[in-house]
Amino acid sequence: MAGEMMQPRVSMPAATPASALPQGALFDTAPVALLCLDEPGNVLLANRAVARLLGRAPAYMQHRPLITMVHQADRRRVVSHLMRLAQGDDVEIDIVLEMPHGTPLPVTLLSTPIIDASGSLRFSQHALLDMSRRREVERTLQQTAARLDHLAHHDALTGLANRYLMEDRLAQAVARCRRNGWLGALVFVDIDRFKLYNDTYGHATGDAILVEAATRLSLAVREQDTVCRYSGDEFLVILENITSQADVDTVLGKLREEFRRPVYGVADRALELSASFGATLFDRNTRDAGLLIKQADLAMYEVKQNGQDAVGYYSPQINAGAERRRLLEADLAQALDGSQFELQFQPQVDAASGRVKGCEALLRWHHPSRGLIEPSEFIPIAEHRGHIAQITGWALVTACQAARRWLEQGLAFERIAVNVSARDLSSPYLTTQVAQALQHAGLPADMLEIEVTETSVMHYPEVAARTLRALAATGVKLALDDFGTGYSSLKCLKDHAFDRIKIDRSFVDALGRHAGNDAIVTAMVSMASSLGVEVVAEGVEHPGQRVRLLDAGVPLMQGKLFTPPLDFAGAIRFMVAAAR
Ligand code: C2E
Ligand code: MG
Ligand code: MG
């Protein structure tokens, strides 16, 4: 029978006659699983490696159709495989065999037909390659690749999309809008006071707040929307497939409410969270996804500037404001030598006697081309750009020198007040700067007053407390500015050694409009006097306010009723006149 067969396609070294080899033993002990099937596909021969691989006794396999050992799902494919083999082709197939108890075994079946002289298939021989290890390795590789891919596109702390994935998704969203004319929105979210929490309660609390924020944002939007951690405490939300701005309003309202629920279980108290939201819309005409991020960021920044915990939309006006800020930022660096700065002085008057009891120094920036710039505009920029310490240093030195000259001229004033900002309070240099300015001018420490606002104390409460103690120890006076406008003015007053409070202009303005307003001022005065703290009223503009303040027990006043801030010479003239 063998003589009728064509030579199998296995070549042998010519020098070794095939008959010399123990062919049966070779087959049986080959390190590869080898099978021989008859034409219908029943097992004729299976070597030991097959028995080992399949966990079957050789007797079990004998005369059994191979197909019965193939997993149900692969049987059709094996039938086709055998049919192709019958046409004389070498074929290869990946299938799953079934071991005892149905255990699957993935194998590659390499098959070669043995065709007789008439061209019919007589037998076929097969090698079974165990693929289970390779599959395992492939699966592990796939999982690792997927994990790496996830890490590259997601934030490790919150699990949200990171900025790279977000930029990709945003570009896709913009492209979809262009195609189908939908509306989309990008929302920039920044947690209010995050730095304060992080610094006060530690990084673990900071992390917990970020995770909580991520969860709240994700739960508040639809599944198709993307929430991403952009950086630090900044998140971005992409809203797609919306019909009008009203939809965005609804989502923003929801997000804001979500944020305002107190956070429990971090730090040792319930934390009051809030966030500032800036949104920008995109439609079929939008091209530049990167521009959208800038616009949403600007809108958010505007919300922060106006007191945070609110939502706002981008508009071209915001853009103009940002452009001006950017230009001022660049020009401020040139002004730092003080040549463009001026201090003006606003006397604080004892309204009963008309005498000057002190002067507040107020900074002005004479910009070479833009004219006078208000401190409320450039101080935040200076803080943001890290220039504030230099500016405060200049103001302290200049104010102390002015006071020195007034003293030399025999003018009667008790002290000069200088404003410092949040950054100054968190800086270890402030106390040194104060001491140097005093020493340079030869001014007694108790003639200098440092004005701080409650908000700036609350920015970095622990460091601020240290700075205030150090300042008090040098003998300078401390005033709590804009009193009543913060969240916990009374607590701030109790916690620190202030000599004065300055009742904010808004309370003075409200006097006489409603009986309740007068009562608030009276309550502030009695509270201050119980703590042994002096009171100054700011922004007094009308004679009626002066009368009401005197009635409420506030003799010290500052405001346009007496004089607006004056230049150096003007302040001297005012003090001379007041002393007469
Ligand atoms: P502030 O310390 O509360 O200063 C009082 C503000 O009220 C001043 O505004 C003053 O010009 C204004 N004012 C005075 N009298 C009246 C009045 O009768 N009616 C009204 N409506 N306003 C009056 P200014 O000079 O624009 O300063 C604004 C804020 O800028 C200051 O508020 C202070 O927080 C900050 N600032 C001023 N100079 C400096 C400085 O040298 N360093 C720092 N860090 N901040 C400064
Ligand atoms: Mg002030
Ligand atoms: Mg004030």
Side-chain angles (χ1 to χ4, degrees):
M1 195 207 281
E4 296 168 26
M5 280 185 236
M6 285 174 66
Q7 279 302 307
R9 294 174 196 177
V10 179
S11 61
M12 300 235 181
T16 313
S19 57
L21 288 168
Q23 291 185 12
L26 258 185
F27 176 85
D28 202 37
T29 59
V32 178
L34 298 172
L35 272 179
C36 190
L37 302 184
D38 62 12
E39 187 269 328
N42 302 313
V43 176
L44 279 180
L45 289 171
N47 71 358
R48 290 187 210 171
V50 174
R52 266 200 311 276
L53 184 64
L54 294 184
R56 303 278 188 193
Y60 171 87
M61 290 181 281
Q62 199 69 42
H63 303 303
R64 191 171 284 271
L66 174 69
I67 204 92
T68 60
M69 289 179 272
V70 172
H71 190 279
Q72 186 78 35
D74 283 341
R75 287 189 184 163
R76 265 175 194 283
R77 292 174 55 242
V78 171
V79 170
S80 329
H81 175 81
L82 294 178
M83 280 161 64
R84 280 184 59 205
L85 199 61
Q87 287 158 11
D89 296 330
D90 280 356
V91 280
E92 177 181 334
I93 188 173
D94 287 333
I95 52 169
V96 175
L97 295 182
E98 271 183 356
M99 305 204 315
H101 314 297
T103 311
L105 176 73
V107 295
T108 295
L109 191 64
L110 299 173
S111 309
T112 300
I114 298 171
I115 309 282
D116 65 16
S118 66
S120 309
L121 176 78
R122 297 297 301 278
F123 305 105
S124 57
Q125 54 182 6
H126 308 260
L128 292 175
L129 305 183
D130 180 359
M131 289 292 122
S132 56
R133 287 285 318 284
R134 190 167 120 193
R135 290 267 169 95
E136 211 174 284
V137 171
E138 272 172 5
R139 214 174 18 248
T140 315
L141 280 175
Q142 266 169 10
Q143 282 167 353
T144 311
R147 255 209 313 277
L148 283 175
D149 188 63
H150 187 87
L151 279 178
H153 293 102
H154 291 82
D155 168 49
L157 176 67
T158 60
L160 291 180
N162 65 15
R163 65 195 296 166
Y164 303 109
L165 182 56
M166 187 280 306
E167 276 163 12
D168 196 47
R169 297 248 177 102
L170 184 60
Q172 286 175 20
V174 167
R176 269 194 295 275
C177 269
R178 214 160 43 222
R179 273 200 307 278
N180 54 30
W182 289 337
L183 206 57
L186 180 69
V187 184
F188 206 109
V189 187
D190 187 293
I191 305 178
D192 298 331
R193 296 178 302 278
F194 177 74
K195 187 159 171 35
L196 170 74
Y197 289 136
N198 206 39
D199 292 348
T200 312
Y201 303 117
H203 288 267
T205 299
D207 283 356
I209 290 174
L210 291 172
V211 170
E212 181 66 24
T215 311
R216 290 182 184 194
L217 287 173
S218 304
L219 290 178
V221 298
R222 295 167 305 179
E223 210 159 313
Q224 75 214 62
D225 300 325
T226 298
V227 179
C228 131
R229 180 166 174 215
Y230 191 59
S231 70
D233 64 335
E234 295 172 337
F235 298 85
L236 278 174
V237 183
I238 307 171
L239 304 173
E240 263 194 271
N241 195 3
I242 49 181
T243 48
S244 69
Q245 185 170 334
D247 290 351
V248 186
D249 286 341
T250 310
V251 177
L252 286 175
K254 208 162 126 195
L255 291 176
R256 184 157 171 248
E257 279 315 304
E258 273 301 310
F259 256 90
R260 293 174 118 205
R261 284 190 291 111
V263 180
Y264 297 98
V266 299
D268 53 355
R269 67 197 74 195
L271 292 180
E272 301 286 335
L273 274 196
S274 69
S276 301
F277 301 87
T280 190
L281 302 177
F282 53 96
D283 59 19
R284 62 167 8 123
N285 300 314
T286 306
R287 295 279 176 275
D288 187 349
L291 190 64
L292 290 175
I293 301 178
K294 287 203 192 97
Q295 291 178 344
D297 188 7
L298 282 176
M300 185 281 296
Y301 186 78
E302 196 68 14
V303 168
K304 282 263 181 217
Q305 293 292 305
N306 296 328
Q308 57 196 32
D309 186 17
V311 303
Y313 283 90
Y314 168 78
S315 73
Q317 288 78 6
I318 287 184
N319 211 11
E323 182 62 10
R324 180 176 158 92
R325 233 175 357 244
R326 199 178 60 74
L327 293 172
L328 289 184
E329 261 182 41
D331 295 344
L332 192 58
Q334 258 105 67
L336 290 178
D337 61 0
S339 58
Q340 296 170 18
F341 291 144
E342 183 205 0
L343 276 191
Q344 292 196 343
F345 304 93
Q346 188 173 38
Q348 295 161 337
V349 178
D350 177 344
S353 66
R355 300 211 167 259
V356 173
K357 304 288 277 182
C359 270
E360 177 176 11
L362 294 159
L363 192 57
R364 302 287 177 261
W365 177 14
H366 297 283
H367 189 284
S369 60
R370 291 169 190 274
L372 180 72
I373 317 249
E374 302 284 331
S376 47
E377 183 171 15
F378 73 84
I379 294 283
I381 297 177
E383 285 220 52
H384 180 64
R385 300 297 299 174
H387 296 321
I388 195 68
Q390 239 174 305
I391 293 177
T392 302
W394 183 88
L396 283 166
V397 167
T398 311
C400 289
Q401 275 168 352
R404 173 82 242 165
R405 284 169 65 188
W406 295 338
L407 270 186
E408 284 164 2
Q409 294 180 32
L411 293 168
F413 74 100
E414 289 174 12
R415 51 177 102 147
I416 184 149
V418 176
N419 293 280
V420 301
S421 67
R423 278 276 172 111
D424 292 317
L425 277 184
S426 70
S427 147
Y429 303 120
L430 183 64
T431 320
T432 316
Q433 282 180 314
V434 165
Q436 281 175 351
L438 287 168
Q439 195 193 14
H440 196 245
L443 195 72
D446 63 357
M447 291 196 81
L448 178 64
E449 183 171 78
I450 301 296
E451 290 194 8
V452 303
T453 62
E454 181 205 328
T455 328
S456 61
V457 174
M458 288 314 292
H459 245 86
Y460 308 101
E462 270 141 37
V463 204
R466 261 205 307 279
T467 308
L468 290 174
R469 274 198 302 276
L471 284 173
T474 66
V476 299
K477 302 289 177 190
L478 299 176
L480 185 52
D481 205 352
D482 303 349
F483 186 79
T485 57
Y487 291 105
S488 49
S489 306
L490 178 56
K491 184 171 181 319
C492 191
L493 185 59
K494 276 194 183 141
D495 287 354
H496 308 284
F498 287 106
D499 301 279
R500 261 186 188 171
I501 58 172
K502 301 188 72 181
I503 296 183
D504 188 66
R505 187 166 79 227
S506 53
F507 295 98
V508 174
D509 205 39
L511 282 177
R513 299 231 183 100
H514 185 277
N517 296 331
D518 295 44
I520 292 175
V521 172
T522 310
M524 286 179 179
V525 172
S526 74
M527 191 180 66
S529 82
S530 71
L531 291 168
V533 172
E534 227 177 351
V535 180
V536 183
E538 286 194 291
V540 183
E541 294 182 349
H542 306 294
Q545 293 169 342
R546 173 181 173 276
V547 172
R548 285 179 185 277
L549 285 165
L550 282 173
D551 282 352
V554 186
L556 268 185
M557 300 180 202
Q558 180 183 342
K560 290 177 186 160
L561 177 65
F562 306 95
T563 172
L566 301 163
D567 63 12
F568 181 71
I572 293 177
R573 280 195 296 278
F574 187 90
M575 284 188 267
V576 169
R580 288 212 189 102

